[in-house]
Amino acid sequence: MTVKNSLTPLEAQITRIEEMTSIEKLFYLKLIDLNTVKEFHYTPGQFLEVSIPGVGEAPISICDVQREHGRLQLCIRKVGRVTNAIHRLKKGDRLWIRGPYGNGFPMNLMENHDLLLIAGGLGIAPLRSVLQYALLHRNSYGSITVMYGVKCYSMMLFREEFLKLFREGDKLNVKFLLAYEDSDDFQCYQLSCERSDRCMSGLVTKLIESTAITPDNTYAVVCGPPIMYKFVVKELTQRGFTPAQIYMTMERRMKCGVGKCGHCITGSSNSIKYVCKDGPVFTYWDALKTRGLM
Amino acid sequence: MTKTLIIDELTRVEGHGGITVIIDGERVKDVKMNIFEGPRFFESIIKTVYYDKVPDIMRRICAICTASHSLASIRAIEHAFNLQVSDQTQILRDLLIHGETIESHALHVFLLALPDYLGYPDALKMASEHFNTVKAALELKKAGNIIHNILSGREVHGMNERVGGFSKLPSERKLENIREEMLKVKRTAELSVEMLAQTEPPLNINSKNIFMALNPGEKYGFIGDEILISDGSAHHINDYLKIVKEHTVNYSTAKISTYKNQPFMVGALARILLNRNKLEGTAKSMFKKYHTLIREVNPLSNNLAQAIELVHSVERAASLVDELLGRGLREERLPSVNIKDARGVGAVEAPRGILYHDYTFDKSGCIVQCNVITPTAQNIANIEKNYREVVEALIHEEDDKIKFNLELISRAYDPCISCSTHVIRVKN
Amino acid sequence: MYKKLFKEDLEQFTSTLKQFGSIYGPVKKTSRGCEFTELTDFKDLQLNYTRTMIPPKKFFLKPKEPLYSLNKDAGFKEIIDDSKTVLLGVHSCDINALNLLDRVYLNQFPDLHYKTRRENTIIIGVSCEPDDYCFCTSTGSSHALKGFDLFLHEISDSYIVRVGSMKGFQIITQNKHIIKNPSLTDIKEFKEYEAERLSKITLNLNVNGIQDILDLSFDHAVWQENADICFGCGSCNLVCPTCRCYDVIDYLKLDLKNGLKVRRWDSCMLKQHALVAGGLNFRPTRVERLYNRFNCKMSCSEDSLNCVGCGRCTVYCPADINFVEVLKQVRED
Amino acid sequence: MTETENNLKPRIGVFSLTGCAGDQLMILNLEDTLIELLSKFDIKSFQEASSYSENTNLDIAFVEGSVSTEHDLKTLKNIREKSSLLIAIGDCAVNGCVQAMRNKQTSIAERMIDVYGVEDNIYKTFEPKGVGEYVKVDFEIPGCPIEKEEALNALISLLNGDAPLIPDYPVCVECKLNGYPCVIIEEGKPCLGPIITAGCDARCPGLGLDCVGCRGPIKGETNAKAELEALRKRGYADKYIINRLRFFAGNFDDIQILGVKENSKGDK
Ligand SMILES: Cc1cc2nc3c(=O)[nH]c(=O)nc-3n(C[C@H](O)[C@H](O)[C@H](O)COP(=O)(O)OP(=O)(O)OC[C@H]3O[C@@H](n4cnc5c(N)ncnc54)[C@H](O)[C@@H]3O)c2cc1C
Ligand code: SF4
Ligand code: SF4
Ligand code: SF4
């Protein structure tokens, strides 16, 4: 029986692996089937369901901007069955993907606005695609501020890339700020000596407190561990951001990615949301309306 | 000079046991089969349990003889409450116990004992040179398990056999499955007899043994209410306590079972010797052909007796299926039980020999007193007697050789130590 | 379009359905009632039944079904069950529930397994035998407007047959010799029978504005009271005709190369339903899960509730948690 | 087979403490795949199946049986020390199984008297517990006995380098997936399915029987009080229900509590 099933995973090859931290690796993938390559478009904030046959599937955000057709990058933390199995793979190995799924960030809507990107830990992965997109279409966006909270230097993702931005971002009108939790971390301390206004010890919220941001004409984009949202949103609303100006991407258990398996359903009877298809990107306004989303 | 031979852990047996032998010069001072299986106190924990789930707990005394335990338990309950079961139930129970025998004997004969005869540490190593034999043996074992699975609901600790009958009847198609399986493995069962008959037993001893087995009725089988003894006497199972005496003897500190102060033997060899005239078909002719090899004085003959039972059970299972299908399966509801304060004894020939369950209930149907005697507990005295004989005969040999032969003896009995809830050593 | 079929012709009618696939219908299985079972003998068919435990969703979203055969080198190959099936004797509530499932499974990303099963199945509805647990009039699902090929409305000696699809029309045409047109008296009887059926549905749940009430009653004591006696066993979800959560599991064979991707029904009452890596659970307690389930059922998708009032979750809850009762307590009316 | 091939295989041992050896037997009951399966491991110890045994470091140790004696405990600690992964197989090793049903209810001395007529704790027996009470357990495969398919899948997962998948939902789920009539609802039978870990494919309800709970209550999710209530409502006496809840859950706090309370009630 020849049927085309849009939910059947596609074959992809790993063209490169970068070890980023002790638990995170960056995977460069290339789709194998040329026919699907042409149809494969993704926007920042969308995610894939990544399969290892015989082990299972996991939703993973695409962490770069689409440049070449059929190529993409995933930053994956090993935490369980599937992600461990992915981490066992080597360059040249194959895995299977389907997607892209989810709404992604409203890059068009945000055009001609300043961007404030706030990320904690692995949350930088989807935001990196937003950043890359904005840099790729540099003239369509205003100033860009990135606030990134890490545990310590060794847990910082995309280190080289971001250190370059940290030092030379101003040329691109990008302000890159770093907060680190481990106050004894020597390398981070050196960075804070280098630019005390751009790197400080503490949580990511500290960066918001100590930076001048004007909410007018700005969109805030947030991603990080669930507890981070509450504090960040509090800071932002105090600064005058309206709930519609704050975008965030959410995580839930997912088995399908397309609004069928029911695991990511959140809310109360007045507003039910599927994180996979109504999100994973939501505004703070959505979160206010939908019980339990945040 | 005294020396002590110790086998820490018997392998290829069910449960945990070891052997200690103390030799004083030319004399065997003490032999012990050590049981370090922790006691599980089934007779105690079962107290106050309502009769309906008693078999579900008690069958967990043992994995390999789980059906024997549950049927002994069920029969004890039925005897206490005067419950009659239908012919159909009896046939199904027979079939179930044949399944258990096939599974257990196939495992023991081929995978646990035969490696001794052929000189391998285990069946897997044996498989490298006798691949087809091991594969066939596994199929035979599986055939037994299929019966068990279909009738009991699972290979180990099934649940379908209940007080009064079966919860759910097997479908006709499944029964036919059983028959097909039996035909498929018949040849392997026969092979087990031939292989053992053609290989000189690795040990030959001369020991005077007393045998005990249940009287299965007209056909060779494993369920009965009468105990037959090789001295010619017969007794009702209700009198089992008068026959199987548990007491202390002077050469050991063990509380062990004896009959008239003598150790005795239960199991396949006892059954074959006491019920030989009930064998039928291929098993009967094979018994005739090899009966000289089945020596009452050598407990290793137990293996050959098991093999012949394998042949018998495979054939008998197929004919029981025919009988069931011939009569047509009837849907029967489990009968209601009139509980009362009463005592009941149930006995079944487990693969390793007679198994007794003895319960006393209060008027609300809950257990107040329970006693279980497993075949291995009964055999221990005889096993130790054999140890002594072997060590005496080999007293000048290397320790390793003595140890090897002690293990051979143990394994010949197919001991099921996990079963032996009743065996205990009282320290000096 | 309405036709008429005499009850005495039903057997013959049923036999002509065989060409459309294996026929499944309600067959008595337990003291409580019937289950959809393959009809090997017409005599087993029991059209006047109250409810099955497992709803007909089991034919479309199977309790356990292999989705793909998988191979580490070659990837995934769909396993599609395209066998043809006729479901005879489906009630309105269950038809409405299937229509709800369609919205989920046939939307932007259609589920091929579901879709194939749906396309290969003929649904013949039948009027129901309500009992004290039915409240479909409250949920607006006492009548099926679409989602069936034929619907048999029972009257005294015959059925008024409503034709719901082209396939249904084809069946009618093929059975021309036994299919009649309803007479005026038939129509009168139809009205009486319908009124009688509706009058038996006495349980009433006021769903108007229930969404606001639920949203505002997050802290209501009734949730904790019921969570205390709830097992979190998931039965309520699994028997619900509109619940459709599933889990997917990959199985590998011993060769470590080939395997199966299998899906099975899941339930939001189970502990791991909202658990993510690292041990974070978005609904860690039974109260939250219970609240979530009631909210999900009472939420609206495209203006219809996610509950069709079939009463199953109440009947089959081992803790005797009564769905309507709980909502009434929340409503406090 | 060459040495190097053997070196790549996971070194495993199968050990048993106090129990019925049924879980080892269930592995041996995988007749169809047994030879292939065992050939994928480098078996260093398998007491029931082999005389060969090596006291060496292991990649994976499978332990069945409960810890009931000092001997058990010593063996267990030794196994833990030399094994990278320790997997408890079977209800004995996971929860203590039926021999634990009287824990905190009757003393060992009482049990000794009942069975052997002496009070002395000759065996240095203590209340049977699962191995997790004493050492770190990496995975648990529940069941009395373990389900062979589940065990096979767990072994395959381990061979593939993955964590085994063990259900953490109740038997009711599998009962419903199979469409078995619910024996509580239809017949008022005292089924423990709502609180017992699934994985058996609802064997008992499939045979028309009430689940006796052989796979043990679901850890952290067992509503024992609700079960007590549900069965009371159906006419069962407390003594009956509590005995039954204890069969495979003698070590569960919330079930022990039920027992204690009811006993003291009975005393009055
Ligand atoms: C929209 C989205 C984007 C994500 N992006 C990334 C990313 O870029 N990089 C990254 O490392 N991780 C990301 N995650 C988290 C990642 O999906 C989980 O870490 C992963 O599913 C864990 O799977 P596992 O099999 O390794 O873990 P296990 O704990 O063994 O999980 C078993 C199963 O549970 C489910 N599950 C467990 N945790 C999660 C979870 N957090 N989210 C969804 N399902 C879960 C999955 O279905 C999985 O198959 C994202 C999650 C979501 C929802
Ligand atoms: S069926 Fe009842 S006990 Fe089970 S989860 Fe649903 S509400 Fe709770
Ligand atoms: S029979 Fe038992 S396991 Fe099955 S649904 Fe009912 S309560 Fe649950
Ligand atoms: S239903 Fe319960 S008792 Fe029966 S096999 Fe399953 S877990 Fe064990």
Side-chain angles (χ1 to χ4, degrees):
Chain A
M1 192 180 175
T2 48
V3 275
K4 175 142 165 53
N5 185 351
S6 60
L7 298 178
T8 302
L10 307 169
E11 192 174 356
Q13 192 175 34
I14 301 179
T15 57
R16 193 171 146 196
I17 302 177
E18 276 173 31
E19 228 156 288
M20 297 206 289
T21 70
S22 55
I23 51 169
E24 279 123 348
K25 286 184 186 175
L26 182 62
F27 294 85
Y28 292 72
L29 303 188
K30 184 179 87 180
L31 276 173
I32 300 210
D33 180 20
L34 290 176
N35 287 327
T36 55
V37 164
K38 275 179 267 151
E39 294 166 19
F40 195 84
H41 297 289
Y42 59 90
T43 57
Q46 285 194 295
F47 66 95
L48 299 175
E49 282 284 347
V50 182
S51 269
I52 303 292
V55 184
E57 267 186 324
I60 302 290
S61 308
I62 306 174
C63 70
D64 67 340
V65 66
Q66 178 156 3
R67 293 195 186 85
E68 258 176 275
H69 274 302
R71 286 182 185 266
L72 56 102
Q73 297 172 18
L74 303 176
C75 170
I76 300 177
R77 173 182 288 182
K78 67 171 178 192
V79 288
R81 262 172 80 91
V82 178
T83 46
N84 266 308
I86 298 175
H87 270 242
R88 289 200 298 266
L89 297 177
K90 291 183 284 300
K91 181 180 162 182
D93 285 349
R94 274 164 304 174
L95 44 69
W96 273 261
I97 58 176
R98 56 190 178 88
Y101 298 134
N103 54 1
F105 291 100
M107 296 313 293
N108 295 338
L109 182 82
M110 298 196 288
E111 271 179 23
N112 303 318
H113 288 73
D114 293 342
L115 298 181
L116 171 60
L117 312 184
I118 305 173
L122 185 58
I124 196 71
L127 293 204
R128 178 174 174 256
S129 63
V130 176
L131 176 65
Q132 288 193 347
Y133 186 97
L135 291 176
L136 196 65
H137 307 92
R138 191 65 196 91
N139 295 333
S140 310
Y141 298 91
S143 75
I144 302 173
T145 310
V146 183
M147 298 181 175
Y148 182 26
V150 295
K151 282 229 162 58
C152 57
Y153 188 80
S154 63
M155 291 302 285
M156 183 175 170
L157 298 168
F158 309 102
R159 217 173 294 133
E160 267 172 48
E161 216 172 292
F162 288 153
L163 286 180
K164 194 156 181 275
L165 266 187
F166 178 75
R167 296 190 172 112
E168 304 164 20
D170 294 316
K171 282 186 244 167
L172 298 163
N173 193 11
V174 176
K175 240 198 309 185
F176 188 94
L177 298 100
L178 188 71
Y180 59 102
E181 269 176 62
D182 179 4
S183 54
D184 296 333
D185 188 295
F186 181 65
Q187 280 128 321
C188 284
Y189 175 71
Q190 277 184 321
L191 289 176
S192 69
C193 296
E194 208 177 307
R195 293 269 335 234
S196 63
D197 60 329
R198 296 268 168 103
C199 177
M200 48 198 84
S201 115
L203 299 172
V204 79
T205 37
K206 189 157 174 200
L207 297 173
I208 314 178
E209 283 165 28
S210 53
T211 312
I213 337 164
T214 40
D216 333 323
N217 208 39
T218 303
Y219 278 105
V221 176
V222 190
C223 185
I227 37 158
M228 193 188 96
Y229 292 106
K230 235 189 244 142
F231 296 104
V232 169
V233 162
K234 196 170 151 223
E235 285 293 332
L236 291 176
T237 42
Q238 273 172 8
R239 291 297 187 95
F241 278 82
T242 66
Q245 268 174 295
I246 305 171
Y247 279 89
M248 36 200 194
T249 141
M250 296 293 177
E251 182 186 358
R252 280 297 184 283
R253 190 186 186 89
M254 286 176 193
K255 287 291 175 178
C256 68
V258 290
K260 300 190 173 18
C261 80
H263 287 91
C264 70
I265 290 182
T266 327
S268 63
S269 51
N270 255 335
S271 171
I272 291 269
K273 298 271 185 229
Y274 288 80
V275 171
C276 66
K277 75 178 169 76
D278 302 328
V281 175
F282 294 96
T283 60
Y284 178 48
W285 173 235
D286 293 320
L288 286 175
K289 284 188 300 188
T290 312
R291 188 188 291 280
L293 185 59
M294 201 174 89
Chain B
M1 196 200 75
T2 54
K3 74 170 172 182
T4 309
L5 290 181
I6 294 177
I7 294 175
D8 280 334
E9 169 123 38
L10 289 165
T11 56
R12 283 184 279 144
V13 298
E14 295 266 333
H16 302 285
I19 305 173
T20 310
V21 179
I22 302 171
I23 303 173
D24 187 1
E26 298 276 297
R27 209 170 62 84
V28 180
K29 201 172 149 209
D30 198 7
V31 290
K32 270 195 246 174
M33 186 174 193
N34 305 318
I35 308 295
F36 39 81
E37 184 78 30
R40 288 190 287 156
F41 303 109
F42 275 94
E43 290 103 322
S44 175
I45 60 175
I46 199 68
K47 281 185 174 182
T48 75
V49 172
Y50 189 60
Y51 84 89
D52 67 340
K53 295 295 179 229
V54 167
D56 295 290
I57 306 293
M58 297 308 276
R59 65 159 58 92
R60 288 182 158 84
I61 290 175
C62 181
I64 191 115
C65 350
T66 169
S68 301
H69 276 282
S70 75
L71 289 183
S73 175
I74 287 170
R75 286 169 61 81
I77 298 167
E78 288 169 353
H79 288 161
F81 300 143
N82 293 327
L83 193 69
Q84 303 297 326
V85 299
S86 68
D87 291 350
Q88 175 174 293
T89 294
Q90 273 164 7
I91 300 173
L92 284 167
R93 285 179 181 174
D94 271 335
L95 183 55
L96 172 59
I97 216 88
H98 280 291
E100 176 165 287
T101 307
I102 295 169
E103 196 274 331
S104 176
H105 282 1
L107 177 68
H108 184 255
V109 171
F110 279 101
L111 306 178
L112 307 183
L114 206 55
D116 282 337
Y117 283 67
L118 304 177
Y120 298 95
D122 58 47
L124 199 60
K125 301 269 182 333
M126 187 170 111
S128 52
E129 281 161 54
H130 298 266
F131 183 75
N132 288 334
T133 310
V134 172
K135 239 185 103 120
L138 284 170
E139 252 150 47
L140 178 61
K141 176 170 146 13
K142 185 180 164 195
N145 268 335
I146 285 174
I147 298 183
H148 212 293
N149 217 340
I150 291 176
L151 295 190
S152 180
R154 178 157 70 191
E155 293 92 337
V156 173
H157 306 332
M159 58 298 273
N160 194 30
E161 68 274 20
R162 313 299 308 174
V163 173
F166 284 78
S167 180
K168 190 172 173 191
L169 284 185
S171 65
E172 292 195 353
R173 209 183 47 79
K174 287 217 163 128
L175 287 175
E176 274 156 16
N177 259 353
I178 292 179
R179 184 171 46 199
E180 283 160 29
E181 282 299 317
M182 293 305 119
L183 294 179
K184 261 202 295 199
V185 298
K186 189 164 174 281
R187 186 60 210 120
T188 309
E190 292 164 15
L191 182 73
S192 72
V193 179
E194 283 155 16
M195 283 184 82
L196 286 172
Q198 280 154 20
T199 321
E200 189 60 29
L203 173 69
N204 235 323
I205 57 173
N206 274 311
S207 179
K208 243 182 84 60
N209 293 314
I210 300 169
F211 297 100
M212 244 184 236
L214 289 179
N215 180 355
E218 277 164 44
K219 306 261 183 187
Y220 194 101
F222 301 93
I223 301 177
D225 290 338
E226 188 183 44
I227 306 163
L228 302 176
I229 304 180
S230 55
D231 65 6
S233 63
H235 313 260
H236 193 271
I237 55 165
N238 285 348
D239 297 329
Y240 81 103
L241 280 178
K242 291 189 198 129
I243 295 161
V244 182
K245 278 259 157 54
E246 293 185 292
H247 60 143
T248 319
V249 281
N250 59 358
Y251 62 84
S252 164
T253 46
K255 188 183 170 196
I256 50 173
S257 305
T258 54
Y259 167 64
K260 293 188 174 163
N261 276 324
Q262 296 293 316
F264 61 90
M265 187 173 176
V266 294
L269 184 58
R271 290 189 292 257
I272 285 267
L273 293 171
L274 290 166
N275 294 318
R276 68 183 90 191
N277 47 14
K278 291 176 180 166
L279 286 168
E280 296 166 279
T282 320
K284 182 175 175 182
S285 51
M286 291 192 111
F287 178 77
K288 269 202 182 134
K289 186 165 167 201
Y290 296 117
H291 76 276
T292 52
L293 298 173
I294 301 177
R295 303 179 56 237
E296 305 187 7
V297 290
N298 187 4
L300 262 73
S301 295
N302 196 41
N303 290 332
L304 190 52
Q306 286 177 319
I308 288 175
E309 283 195 340
L310 262 177
V311 176
H312 171 77
S313 283
V314 167
E315 275 190 351
R316 181 84 184 122
S319 63
L320 286 171
V321 168
D322 286 337
E323 203 178 327
L324 280 167
L325 294 175
R327 308 158 46 102
L329 282 174
R330 252 178 315 113
E331 225 21 272
E332 294 171 342
R333 283 194 73 84
L334 290 177
S336 59
V337 177
N338 291 320
I339 48 171
K340 56 179 178 188
D341 49 343
R343 178 176 166 207
V345 179
V348 164
E349 281 283 352
R352 286 144 197 82
I354 311 177
L355 165 68
Y356 302 96
H357 280 230
D358 171 0
Y359 307 142
T360 310
F361 294 95
D362 64 14
K363 62 179 191 307
S364 66
C366 297
I367 294 233
V368 286
Q369 197 73 45
C370 163
N371 188 35
V372 173
I373 301 188
T374 65
T376 299
Q378 295 168 65
N379 273 334
I380 286 206
N382 218 50
I383 297 177
E384 290 183 340
K385 182 189 78 180
N386 292 152
Y387 287 164
R388 182 177 285 269
E389 289 156 354
V390 165
V391 179
E392 274 165 0
L394 301 174
I395 204 136
H396 298 294
E397 300 278 352
E398 299 266 310
D399 288 0
D400 280 351
K401 177 154 185 201
I402 301 180
K403 282 190 188 175
F404 174 73
N405 281 302
L406 287 172
E407 278 221 45
L408 275 181
I409 300 259
S410 322
R411 225 172 279 128
Y413 281 84
D414 188 6
C416 186
I417 300 167
S418 35
C419 240
S420 312
T421 52
H422 228 68
V423 182
I424 181 143
R425 300 285 164 176
V426 182
K427 266 233 186 95
N428 280 335
Chain C
M1 182 203 280
Y2 296 88
K3 294 285 169 190
K4 173 179 170 177
L5 172 71
F6 280 103
K7 283 185 180 166
E8 60 197 42
D9 292 329
L10 185 64
E11 178 161 8
Q12 198 193 340
F13 174 81
T14 307
S15 68
T16 67
L17 295 174
K18 283 196 193 107
Q19 52 175 311
F20 297 98
S22 326
I23 305 171
Y24 288 77
V27 169
K28 181 131 178 96
K29 210 167 156 195
T30 68
S31 57
R32 286 239 174 195
C34 296
E35 288 300 312
F36 280 95
T37 312
E38 182 159 8
L39 212 57
T40 42
D41 186 348
F42 178 78
K43 281 187 221 61
D44 296 340
L45 182 70
Q46 193 152 356
L47 279 185
N48 41 3
Y49 69 105
T50 299
R51 68 172 73 69
T52 56
M53 175 177 76
I54 303 295
K57 75 171 174 188
K58 72 174 179 184
F59 292 98
F60 307 100
L61 182 67
K62 297 186 184 179
K64 283 176 280 193
E65 73 182 310
L67 294 180
Y68 297 95
S69 62
L70 58 86
N71 175 287
K72 272 190 182 168
D73 302 317
F76 300 88
K77 214 172 135 244
E78 288 102 350
I79 303 172
I80 301 286
D81 173 5
D82 59 356
S83 61
K84 303 246 185 282
T85 310
V86 179
L87 291 191
L88 179 57
V90 187
H91 289 163
S92 313
C93 55
D94 287 344
I95 291 174
N96 280 311
L98 286 173
N99 294 339
L100 286 172
L101 293 188
D102 284 352
R103 294 184 189 171
V104 173
Y105 282 96
L106 302 178
N107 65 8
Q108 181 195 0
F109 295 100
D111 182 287
L112 189 64
H113 298 84
Y114 180 91
K115 188 162 171 262
T116 313
R117 298 291 306 130
R118 201 73 167 104
E119 281 163 1
N120 285 296
T121 306
I122 286 182
I123 292 183
I124 301 180
V126 73
S127 30
C128 57
E129 293 271 310
D131 69 3
D132 296 347
Y133 294 98
C134 297
F135 58 103
C136 53
T137 43
S138 308
T139 52
S141 26
S142 55
H143 293 83
L145 304 178
K146 57 169 188 180
F148 53 85
D149 299 287
L150 294 173
F151 200 106
L152 311 180
H153 293 276
E154 188 181 5
I155 54 174
S156 57
D157 61 348
S158 47
Y159 295 103
I160 303 291
V161 184
R162 177 165 175 201
V163 184
S165 75
M166 270 308 292
K167 262 193 219 155
F169 184 67
Q170 189 191 341
I171 296 172
I172 292 298
T173 348
Q174 279 180 5
N175 281 288
K176 243 190 228 131
H177 55 293
I178 46 174
I179 294 290
K180 309 277 178 293
N181 281 318
S183 67
L184 275 176
T185 35
D186 291 336
I187 294 169
K188 188 155 169 283
E189 243 188 56
F190 171 84
K191 289 176 187 163
E192 284 161 16
Y193 267 77
E194 274 300 294
E196 151 115 43
R197 178 174 76 89
L198 285 176
S199 74
K200 283 197 226 154
I201 306 169
T202 50
L203 185 61
N204 189 33
L205 171 71
N206 182 0
V207 298
N208 297 315
I210 189 99
Q211 291 75 21
D212 286 333
I213 291 172
L214 278 171
D215 208 356
L216 285 167
S217 304
F218 179 68
D219 294 319
H220 199 288
V222 77
W223 303 120
Q224 189 58 53
E225 282 160 22
N226 283 285
D228 283 346
I229 59 164
C230 166
F231 292 106
C233 73
S235 295
C236 44
N237 296 124
L238 298 167
V239 300
C240 173
T242 68
C243 273
R244 42 55 173 57
C245 284
Y246 64 73
D247 198 0
V248 180
I249 303 147
D250 278 26
Y251 290 102
L252 210 51
K253 296 210 174 103
L254 193 49
D255 64 8
L256 304 184
K257 266 203 162 347
N258 294 292
L260 273 187
K261 194 184 258 308
V262 178
R263 127 165 111 193
R264 68 154 178 77
W265 290 350
D266 204 346
S267 149
C268 63
M269 290 305 298
L270 304 178
K271 178 175 65 173
Q272 88 288 11
H273 190 266
L275 183 76
V276 299
L280 179 70
N281 197 332
F282 288 92
R283 282 187 289 275
T285 64
R286 266 198 301 279
V287 195
E288 284 155 306
R289 300 201 284 276
L290 203 69
Y291 178 77
N292 175 69
R293 181 169 82 84
F294 277 80
N295 273 272
C296 184
K297 294 290 103 180
M298 283 295 117
S299 70
C300 286
S301 55
E302 296 168 41
D303 287 338
S304 57
L305 286 177
N306 264 321
C307 166
V308 292
C310 71
R312 284 186 178 90
C313 58
T314 301
V315 173
Y316 293 102
C317 170
D320 296 329
I321 292 177
N322 188 313
F323 185 81
V324 172
E325 205 45 51
V326 169
L327 285 172
K328 282 188 171 166
Q329 281 174 33
V330 173
R331 254 203 118 93
E332 293 177 29
D333 40 48
Chain D
M1 181 188 323
T2 64
E3 259 318 295
T4 45
E5 263 178 2
N6 233 346
N7 282 343
L8 292 174
K9 296 180 184 175
R11 283 160 305 170
I12 63 160
V14 184
F15 304 94
S16 72
L17 309 173
T18 298
C20 74
D23 306 300
Q24 291 196 45
L25 185 62
M26 275 319 250
I27 295 177
L28 297 177
N29 282 345
L30 282 163
E31 292 99 355
D32 289 339
T33 43
L34 189 65
I35 298 179
E36 192 191 348
L37 176 69
L38 295 185
S39 73
K40 300 213 177 228
F41 292 99
D42 180 6
I43 301 168
K44 296 297 190 190
S45 186
F46 196 154
Q47 177 257 348
E48 185 168 342
S50 174
S51 298
Y52 173 79
S53 169
E54 225 180 286
N55 195 15
T56 161
N57 286 343
L58 297 171
D59 295 309
I60 313 170
F62 296 92
V63 181
E64 69 165 3
S66 58
V67 184
S68 304
T69 61
E70 274 179 22
H71 181 269
D72 285 339
L73 189 55
K74 220 174 84 198
T75 315
L76 174 67
K77 288 196 165 148
N78 179 40
I79 296 168
R80 177 69 270 189
E81 247 166 56
K82 61 182 193 196
S83 318
S84 316
L85 285 183
L86 188 151
I87 304 187
I89 56 172
D91 195 59
C92 286
V94 175
N95 295 321
C97 204
V98 289
Q99 61 264 31
M101 72 187 266
R102 298 299 179 202
N103 284 4
K104 300 229 171 105
Q105 222 183 19
T106 63
S107 68
I108 296 292
E110 283 170 70
R111 297 180 213 176
M112 283 297 293
I113 297 231
D114 272 345
V115 184
Y116 303 111
V118 290
E119 197 172 316
D120 298 358
N121 191 349
I122 297 152
Y123 259 127
K124 297 188 181 138
T125 307
F126 30 81
E127 295 205 317
K129 298 242 166 84
V131 296
E133 284 287 324
Y134 300 100
V135 298
K136 177 177 169 253
V137 173
D138 297 288
F139 299 106
E140 290 179 337
I141 304 180
C144 177
I146 54 171
E147 289 290 327
K148 57 183 192 176
E149 282 304 315
E150 187 174 70
L152 179 62
N153 281 325
L155 289 168
I156 291 172
S157 287
L158 290 165
L159 279 169
N160 199 44
D162 307 324
L165 281 176
I166 305 295
D168 55 356
Y169 45 82
V171 176
C172 293
V173 172
E174 286 173 341
C175 203
K176 291 291 178 312
L177 294 182
N178 284 301
Y180 296 145
C182 175
V183 299
I184 288 194
I185 302 214
E186 304 278 347
E187 301 174 59
K189 287 188 179 166
C191 187
L192 298 192
I195 58 167
I196 297 299
T197 316
C200 61
D201 213 21
R203 283 181 189 270
C204 295
L207 294 167
L209 292 163
D210 37 308
C211 165
V212 291
C214 75
R215 291 176 59 85
I218 307 163
K219 290 192 174 162
E221 184 58 17
T222 289
N223 197 344
K225 273 217 231 90
E227 184 76 38
L228 181 65
E229 274 313 316
L231 299 191
R232 268 180 184 160
K233 242 191 292 183
R234 286 168 175 88
Y236 293 91
D238 280 15
K239 177 173 138 198
Y240 179 86
I241 305 169
I242 286 164
N243 259 341
R244 191 184 170 76
L245 281 169
R246 279 182 159 268
F247 286 165
F248 295 91
N251 284 325
F252 277 72
D253 292 342
D254 38 356
I255 285 169
Q256 282 175 349
I257 292 169
L258 298 179
V260 172
K261 243 220 262 84
E262 289 319 313
N263 273 354
S264 49
K265 210 191 253 172
D267 287 344
K268 273 179 205 160

